[in-house]
Amino acid sequence: MNLDISSKQKILIVCIVFMLFSAFLFLYGYSILDDKNHNTALKVAESEQSYQDLLYEQVGFEQGRRDLKEIEEAEFSPNKLFPKNTTLVDNIRVLEDVANRYNLEFVILLSGTGVGDLRTPGVVSEIFSAPYSLTLTGQFRDVMSFFQTIENLQFPTHITNVQINAIVDGEVTAILNSEFFIEQ
């Protein structure tokens, strides 16, 4: 068997093989590349979204930093929010001054001011609570004015219990259980 293939036939066979190979690549190979390109485009879009989220967070962080600096320079700076154990006396003096302003008799019993102070739950810094009991005697409206005033003091105090008892002629005795928050 002699296979004499002419040049025309060789060119025709090469063209047919090339067309079949091209059809195979077009139908199968390009779809694989298209899927890879699509997946890459999705990853790029996710990366772009992540980048935009980071830029947004950076802007928020910078704004927070500026706000914190402004607050630190304010009259009621966060650094001064929790008094030191040594300035607890000043807080008691403020409470006493408010009571005197409203003509109230003022008695305070402080439960802890040092080693026995309670660590404030849920706080990782050195913030402790110093429980106290405050007894006020005076006119009912003056006691209520006292309560309204201590809601807006420059130091935090957490009122846990209030008991008001009538005495005579509109006078009341108010017992207030609360706690100061202090830094050690």
Side-chain angles (χ1 to χ4, degrees):
M1 217 170 157
N2 191 0
L3 290 174
D4 268 339
I5 301 176
S6 69
S7 299
K8 280 185 172 181
Q9 289 174 336
K10 288 179 185 178
I11 291 175
L12 186 62
I13 291 173
V14 168
C15 285
I16 291 173
V17 168
F18 179 75
M19 290 174 78
L20 288 174
F21 181 72
S22 296
F24 173 76
L25 283 180
F26 184 75
L27 295 175
Y28 182 71
Y30 291 137
S31 66
I32 291 173
L33 293 176
D34 185 47
D35 288 343
K36 286 184 179 181
N37 284 341
H38 180 70
N39 290 337
T40 303
L42 287 176
K43 287 179 183 176
V44 167
E46 287 175 7
S47 296
E48 180 64 26
Q49 182 61 43
S50 178
Y51 176 71
Q52 292 300 324
D53 290 345
L54 287 174
L55 286 178
Y56 179 76
E57 290 294 325
Q58 181 182 12
V59 168
F61 176 76
E62 293 298 326
Q63 182 63 40
R65 182 181 271 169
R66 285 190 299 271
D67 291 346
L68 186 58
K69 186 171 209 140
E70 184 179 307
I71 288 172
E72 285 176 346
E73 295 168 358
E75 182 179 350
F76 300 117
S77 166
N79 295 333
K80 299 175 189 171
L81 182 63
F82 298 106
K84 299 287 183 196
N85 199 7
T86 56
T87 61
L88 192 58
V89 173
D90 295 333
N91 294 352
I92 295 170
R93 187 173 297 128
V94 168
L95 290 175
E96 187 175 19
D97 290 344
V98 173
N100 289 336
R101 184 182 328 152
Y102 295 111
N103 300 319
L104 299 171
E105 290 181 32
F106 174 87
V107 177
I108 188 167
L109 298 172
L110 197 56
S111 299
T113 59
V115 179
D117 291 342
L118 303 172
R119 182 174 292 281
T120 304
V123 177
V124 292
S125 65
E126 295 295 317
I127 297 176
F128 296 85
S129 62
Y132 67 92
S133 177
L134 183 65
T135 303
L136 302 166
T137 304
Q139 295 294 314
F140 179 76
R141 70 178 178 283
D142 294 333
V143 171
M144 291 297 109
S145 296
F146 176 87
F147 287 147
Q148 286 178 336
T149 302
I150 66 169
E151 286 179 354
N152 300 306
L153 294 178
Q154 63 190 16
F155 56 86
T157 182
H158 176 238
I159 298 172
T160 56
N161 187 28
V162 175
Q163 179 182 351
I164 300 177
N165 299 314
I167 303 176
V168 179
D169 296 330
E171 278 204 354
V172 295
T173 297
I175 301 171
L176 172 86
N177 294 320
S178 186
E179 56 189 345
F180 292 115
F181 294 103
I182 56 174
E183 278 185 301
Q184 291 288 57

